[in-house]
Every structure is written in structure tokens, then in C-alpha cells.
Amino acid sequence: MCEWIYAGTVKEPFSSVWTREGRPAKSPGLSRDQIVRAAMEILDAEGVDALSMRRLGAKLGSGATSLYWHIAHKDELMELVMDEVYGKVDLPDPEVTSWEDMASILAYGLRAAFVGHPWVIPLVGTMPSLGPNAMRMSSLMLRAFERAGFTSPPLDYAVSTLLAFVLGWTGPELAWRSTLANSGMSGEELDAAMMKTVRQAARNHPDILERFDDYRVKDPDVVRAIAFDFGLTCLLDGLRVRLAECRDRAGAGIPDTASDAASGVTSDTDRAPRT
Amino acid sequence: MCEWIYAGTVKEPFSSVWTREGRPAKSPGLSRDQIVRAAMEILDAEGVDALSMRRLGAKLGSGATSLYWHIAHKDELMELVMDEVYGKVDLPDPEVTSWEDMASILAYGLRAAFVGHPWVIPLVGTMPSLGPNAMRMSSLMLRAFERAGFTSPPLDYAVSTLLAFVLGWTGPELAWRSTLANSGMSGEELDAAMMKTVRQAARNHPDILERFDDYRVKDPDVVRAIAFDFGLTCLLDGLRVRLAECRDRAGAGIPDTASDAASGVTSDTDRAPRT
DNA sequence: ATGGAAATCGAACAGTGTGCGAGTGGATTT
DNA sequence: AAATCCACTCGCACACTGTTCGATTTCCAT
């Protein structure tokens, strides 16, 4: 029950839909694909709360418990629909696309996918993405970055950082968006109510209030898009620097070693013994 | 029920704990603080699934429904505990700290807070962070960045980008971490099982497999810390560039306008009419 | 046609968040 | 001292959840 949010106990170690073979699926009735498709329709139309096994069964014209023949538990279903979202972002051929274009396309594409299926956000922060579509995405990005000259350890860090930015950006953005959308208001009404709320919440922080006043006259969607682009540009600038370092090292014949540069502030997890 | 994951319908427009005055709290019995504290203990000890109103009431020695006098619904409780997590990260005085140190301290501190209370991740991607601690955090960061020379629109984008990176990074990291922790295995057993699973999931992507082989010999915590630092460094490099632009503009007396540079790939939300 | 496997289904269980109305206790007013 | 009021607690009930189990149906290979 809601276990996928933050798994309490996992049935088998590392059990995942992807590690187990699916049912033969030779029957004319239910199939895993149909179930996933129907689940996504419910999710997109009415959000996570609307997706119950009974409801899903009803939509498919069958009993709720019949689903459990094709799917072990609801978590698995969630893994499947999550990967389906990753499948929505399509990337160009990494062999003929610059790593920067690749990164931009991924960022915008993934953001669009998340915006189109907002219910996926809590899932991404909850269960590892091991589905074929997620794998394909990572693989293409790795190929593009490798072709550009990124060498092994930084290569993965670079891709991970990019994904982290998109995810971390889109989450709060969608939190706002859905809160607004579900308020039942629109236009100036909404604007006024929002300002009142934010103003009250930030009443002790004049600098924050100032920011909000700046935004009020602009279309929030446009502001968000510009801000997203700003962050992406920052990241690309940083990655360019790292790429240059990689190329220098490769040119000088120095092997890549993870730089021990985690200096300054450290969390409790930073100083584990190095092997 | 579970509505806070992706709010289906909100009772009042923009209702939030923070916009409403709390109860007088002059009673000797339950108080909002006690409830929040107890909730956090349960969450930290056993995760989100363990936190039910009945359970929480029992821990406080009172009936489950008594809680509803102090708290409107469970979502509100979640807002409260979420802000409590933000309160765990403490920042230095922005007037005497460089913006770069400030950014690093925030990044590592926030990551540590998330790692210490993993159940907060889905919340952050779900409801807007309007609590006093979140506000205080943003306010301090804005002050530090402003003092460094960031000017108005990029100022906010910079802070948002930093937060997005930390959140987006920590989410998947914790997904892995909890999956591992709950597998009930440890040491080599765990390592072997994980590799088997990942290998199977990535069986069609040799480049990904190659990465995992690289990591296997190292302490995953250390690798994660290094990778996090890598991403943070990238971001700071990018922000440094933006800061220089801000200073140039300020020196030339050019007013800040949001650059219309969201070029290239666009999502459906990018091209809303400009006001 | 028949045995067996594949698939479906209904009933039931333990659990969830929360609305409602009846109750409690202590302070304030008459 | 008695009555009133209000903050607060609580048990019951409702509709709903994911999932188990055993019985039942459906279908294919022999």
C-alpha cells in the first residue's frame, strides 16, 4: 500500500519488473501492455489518487484481482508506467549530434515528459530507473558525451548531473503548477489569491517579496521557461570546463582518476574509507 | 488519503498551513509541536508507510481523531514535517560569507538533511515549500548572492538552479540507497545481487555495463560524494559566468531584462504569449 | 473428449484518512 | 454556588485501499 513512495520492505532483494521475465502473454484477454496503457490513461486524466486496482480493473472490463496474474503488485505497475514516461523523450542519433545539442534536447524533452505526466515525479525520487527506456536514454547520452571527449569517471557524473538538474527543477515547478491548477480559480482571481498566500508566508522576508512582485506582471510559464534555460546554460558552461580538462588529460596521457576534491563542507557520507 | 502525493482537489485555494493561524495551543495536552515531533520520529524510524494517524495518536497517548483538532488533514502535517527538514540545514551569515562558500554549504547541508530524512523527497516534488524554514533558507541565499553582485532576474534563477540540482541529485540517490538498505543483505552478497540485477536490466547497453564495472570496486558512498561534488562544481562554474555578466551589465548601466534566449528545442510551455 | 495449465474472479482481511456527534474538563460569567 | 460556554478529546462509522486465497472458468495440446 503506497509502498512505492519509500519502500519499507522489499519482497526480494532488488526485485524489479525488469529483472523478471514477463508472462507469456499469449492470451487474448488482459496483457501487460494493455494494463500499463490503461493505467497511464487514468493517471494522466485524474492523477495518482484516481489509480486504484479496482478502478483499473473496471476500465479494462475485468476484476481487480485479475491484474495480479500479470503484475506482482502495484509497485511493479508503477515501475512500468514510469519507464513509459522515459520512453516519451526521443533523442537524436548521438553519432551525428553535438553533445551540447544532445544535452539541450534531453533537458527540454525530459522536462516536457514530466510536465505531461506529473504523477511520475514522486516515483523517480523513490525507485531506481532500470527500465529499458531509461536505459536507452542513459546509453544514448553516454555515447554522445563519450564521442565528444568525456572520459570515464567524469562521463557518468556529467550525465547524472544533467538528469538531476532536470528532475530537481521540474518537481517543484509541477508542485506549483498543480496547486494552481487545482485551485479551481483562474486569471486575476488566482493571481490575487496566490499573492496573498505567498505574501503571508514570506511576510518576514522582504527580499523574497520583492522577487515575487517582479514576477507578478509576467506570464509564470514564460518565467519558468527562462529560468530553466538559465540553469541549463549554467550547467553546460560547467560541463564545457570539465570536458576541456578531460581532453587535456587525454592529450597528456594521464589516466583518469577521480579527483579527491570533495573539499570544504562534508556530510556524514563523504568521508567513508576509500578502498 | 495520500492526497499530498499529487493533490487531486484542494479544499481551499492555496490553503496551506502557513497561511492560517495555528491554534492557541494553551492546552496542556496535545500541541502542534508535539505532534510534528512525534511524526518525525516515526518517519525517521520506519518511513512513510508507518505513519498513520492512528499510529501517531497511539504514540502520543491519545485517539487518532484528536489530532484533527490541531491539524486540518494529513497533508498539513506533511507540510509541517517537510519544513522541519529544511530547518535542519543551517547556513552561515550571508553578510560575511562568499557566495560560493554559501552555495557549497547549502548544497552539502541540504543533501545531508535529505539523506537524514529520506521520506521528504516525494513531498518536495509535490507541494510548494512555503514554510518559515524554507523561506529563511531562500532568503539567506538570495542575500548572499545579491551581495556578490547577482542582479534581479538571474539572482532568483541562480538560487533555484542550485536547489534544483541538490533535490534532483538526492532523490534518485536515495532511491538506490533505500532499495539497497531494505534488501536485508549486506557486503558482498548485496554487491553480487545488485550487479546481477543491474547487469540484467542493462543487458542491451554495453556502455552502461562498462560504467558499473568501474564502480564495483569502489565504495558507492564515496563515488556518490565525488559525483555530487562534480555536479556542484559544474554549477558553480556556470554561475560564475552569469555573475560576471551581471557585473558587466551593472557597470555599463544596462537594466536587467530577461534575455529571450530560450532558443533551440522548446516544450509546449515555452511559447506562451509574452505579456 | 479429456487432463492440465492458464487465466479470471468474488469474498474477505487488515488497514487507511477523516466526518460527525457525543462527551469531557476547566475557566468565566451570572 | 450554579450555569454557561468553549477548547478539546474521542469512539463510531463510512468509503476506500492493496492484496491473499481458493474456487471457477477458459483454453489448448494430446
Side-chain angles (χ1 to χ4, degrees), chain A residues 7 156 182 211 235 237 242, chain B residues 7 156 182 211 235 237 242:
Chain A
D156 317 278
N182 292 326
R211 304 290 151 272
L235 221 78
D237 281 343
R242 298 293 96 69
Chain B
D156 316 279
N182 293 326
R211 303 292 151 269
L235 221 77
D237 281 343
R242 299 292 98 68

Side-chain angles (χ1 to χ4, degrees), chain B residues 171-220:
Chain B
E173 174 183 347
L174 289 176
W176 266 108
R177 210 185 274 251
S178 79
T179 304
L180 294 182
N182 293 326
S183 67
M185 331 169 69
S186 68
E188 301 184 358
E189 232 188 359
L190 184 145
D191 196 45
M194 186 184 85
M195 282 315 294
K196 190 178 150 202
T197 295
V198 171
R199 197 173 294 276
Q200 186 140 6
R203 74 185 87 92
N204 296 324
H205 300 281
D207 33 3
I208 294 184
L209 284 179
E210 201 178 321
R211 303 292 151 269
F212 270 100
D213 283 338
D214 285 353
Y215 293 158
R216 208 157 56 82
V217 292
K218 299 170 190 156
D219 184 330

Side-chain angles (χ1 to χ4, degrees), chain A residues 11 19 61 138 143 160 195 215:
Chain A
K11 288 84 191 170
T19 69
S138 298
R143 200 130 56 206
S160 299
M195 282 315 293
Y215 293 157

Side-chain angles (χ1 to χ4, degrees), chain A residues 107-147:
Chain A
Y108 278 97
L110 192 55
R111 184 170 93 113
F114 286 160
V115 170
H117 313 278
W119 42 264
V120 89
I121 293 286
L123 300 183
V124 178
T126 296
M127 41 179 141
S129 305
L130 293 174
N133 287 324
M135 286 287 172
R136 206 181 61 94
M137 202 179 74
S138 298
S139 184
L140 289 175
M141 292 307 297
L142 285 172
R143 200 130 56 206
F145 277 37
E146 190 169 30
R147 203 176 66 92

Side-chain angles (χ1 to χ4, degrees), chain A residues 163-217:
Chain A
L163 293 174
F165 165 71
V166 177
L167 174 60
W169 180 272
T170 321
E173 174 182 347
L174 289 176
W176 266 108
R177 209 184 276 252
S178 79
T179 305
L180 294 181
N182 292 326
S183 66
M185 330 169 67
S186 70
E188 301 183 358
E189 232 187 0
L190 183 145
D191 195 46
M194 187 186 84
M195 282 315 293
K196 190 176 150 202
T197 296
V198 171
R199 197 174 294 277
Q200 188 141 5
R203 73 184 88 91
N204 296 324
H205 299 282
D207 32 3
I208 294 183
L209 284 179
E210 202 178 321
R211 304 290 151 272
F212 270 101
D213 283 337
D214 285 353
Y215 293 157
R216 208 159 55 83
V217 293

